[in-house]
């Protein structure tokens, strides 16, 4: 996917997509097409890794030829303890979804929230209903610009108050969401579900944009509710072009993709 013969040379930049079902996602194939279209000698390899093998696999990247990795959602918290260095967002959110290898050091960052924010801006989104308080919600809150107006929802109001306090969100618009309520999200431009709720049956109206970044193999309460209400749903696999573009730009910004194929000698 990254040179004319689709071969890996000793100069090819190798990246991994690490997840339990990474091979069933088209993320790697989409990114590899982007590498090829931009004349870059680089390749992402899907790596199906079980939880028992995750620590060993990532730790061994330090002495491998793999230059970095994208981490699937089920492992974004597990990887933090393996990192040698990390950004402030990783430390405060407790998650890492992308890393690069610098010598024998693994450096972690959070990139998917940037891609999500860019996508929302491109869609003209101004008002967001954010459900949940997990690590993705924390990363989103930490990176969200003031131009986006976010209202926060959760089934546990105390946990939500602690969340907004920990994230230093001043004058936060906090709201409880529970089974016995009638919730109307139609006044928002987008609904983002980062919760662990098993059902969103309390929601009677959704927004034009409803997303949760769940992969096909993962259960999505939001997807189930959009199907019931005839609303639009956006998951991980619906944003492959945006995610691949963001990954490409991330590694490019780290000077990983400096050389075009035409500059390389094999």
């Amino acid at each position: 996917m990254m040179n004319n013969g689709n071969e890996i040379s000793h100069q090819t930049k190798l990246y991994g997509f690490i997840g339990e079902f990474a091979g069933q996602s088209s993320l790697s194939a989409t990114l590899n097409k982007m590498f090829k279209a931009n004349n870059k000698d680089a390749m992402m390899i899907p790596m199906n890794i079980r939880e028992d093998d995750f620590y060993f696999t990532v730790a061994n990247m330090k002495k491998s030829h793999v230059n970095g990795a994208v981490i699937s959602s089920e492992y974004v918290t597990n990887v933090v303890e393996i990192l040698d260095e990390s950004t402030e967002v990783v430390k405060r959110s407790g998650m890492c979804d992308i890393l690069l290898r610098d010598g024998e050091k693994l450096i972690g960052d959070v990139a998917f929230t940037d891609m999500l924010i860019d996508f929302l801006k491109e869609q003209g989104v101004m008002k967001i209903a954010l459900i949940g308080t997990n690590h993705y919600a924390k990363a989103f809150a930490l990176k969200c610009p003031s131009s986006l107006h976010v209202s926060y929802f959760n089934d546990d109001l105390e946990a939500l108050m602690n969340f907004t306090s920990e994230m230093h969100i001043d004058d936060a618009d906090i709201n409880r969401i529970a089974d016995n309520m009638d919730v109307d999200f139609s006044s928002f431009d987008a609904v983002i579900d980062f919760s662990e709720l098993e059902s969103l049956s309390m929601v009677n109206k959704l927004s034009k944009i409803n997303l949760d970044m769940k992969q096909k193999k993962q259960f999505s309460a939001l997807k189930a509710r959009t199907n019931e209400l005839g609303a639009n749903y956006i998951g991980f696999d619906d944003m492959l072009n945006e995610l691949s573009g963001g990954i490409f730009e991330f590694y490019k910004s780290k000077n990983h993709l400096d050389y075009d194929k035409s500059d390389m000698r094999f």
Side-chain angles (χ1 to χ4, degrees), residues 39 85 140 159 170 223 240:
N39 212 37
E85 296 178 15
F140 186 88
D170 297 327
K223 183 177 183 179
L240 291 179

Side-chain angles (χ1 to χ4, degrees), residues 11-205:
Q11 295 200 52
T12 301
K13 290 286 188 181
L14 294 178
Y15 302 95
F17 175 41
I18 300 177
E20 189 174 3
F21 305 106
Q24 296 184 28
S25 170
S26 298
L27 178 66
S28 298
T30 305
L31 180 59
N32 288 335
K33 289 178 182 177
M34 194 167 293
F35 284 144
K36 188 171 184 178
N38 286 274
N39 212 37
K40 300 299 182 183
D41 190 25
M43 178 178 241
M44 175 164 280
I45 302 169
M47 302 170 66
N48 290 342
I49 304 298
R50 298 178 305 177
E51 186 173 1
D52 291 346
D53 298 324
F54 180 78
Y55 185 95
F56 176 82
T57 300
V58 177
N60 277 300
M61 280 181 56
K62 297 179 182 184
K63 295 185 178 181
S64 75
H65 294 293
V66 178
N67 296 279
V70 170
I71 309 299
S72 186
S73 58
E74 64 270 25
Y75 294 141
V76 292
T77 58
N78 304 56
V79 74
V80 174
E81 63 177 301
I82 314 173
L83 301 173
D84 298 291
E85 296 178 15
S86 59
T87 63
E88 191 66 21
V89 175
V90 171
K91 293 172 183 175
R92 292 186 61 190
S93 67
M95 67 164 283
C96 163
D97 58 24
I98 196 164
L99 58 87
L100 57 85
R101 180 179 59 80
D102 182 6
E104 293 190 5
K105 293 192 301 183
L106 297 180
I107 304 171
D109 206 339
V110 177
F112 279 18
T113 46
D114 290 318
M115 304 170 202
L116 177 55
I117 289 167
D118 287 343
F119 171 77
L120 294 171
K121 286 181 177 179
E122 289 170 4
Q123 299 300 313
V125 168
M126 297 292 292
K127 291 180 61 180
I128 299 169
L130 179 65
I131 311 171
T133 61
N134 72 356
H135 42 277
Y136 275 105
K138 289 179 179 178
F140 186 88
L142 288 167
K143 293 205 169 193
C144 189
S146 58
S147 60
L148 297 181
H149 305 286
V150 183
S151 296
Y152 298 89
F153 293 79
N154 197 47
D155 56 336
D156 185 336
L157 200 56
E158 184 177 354
L160 185 55
M161 292 176 68
N162 290 336
F163 167 86
T164 55
S165 176
E166 184 183 350
M167 297 298 103
H168 304 301
I169 303 169
D170 297 327
D171 301 320
D173 178 16
I174 60 175
N175 306 269
R176 184 167 177 265
I177 185 171
D179 289 338
N180 58 350
M181 302 175 69
D182 289 323
V183 180
D184 183 348
F185 285 135
S186 60
S187 64
F188 293 93
D189 300 318
V191 173
I192 303 173
D193 182 20
F194 286 145
S195 74
E196 307 301 324
L197 293 172
E198 295 183 1
S199 171
L200 289 173
S201 59
M202 75 290 291
V203 178
N204 52 50
K205 289 185 180 180

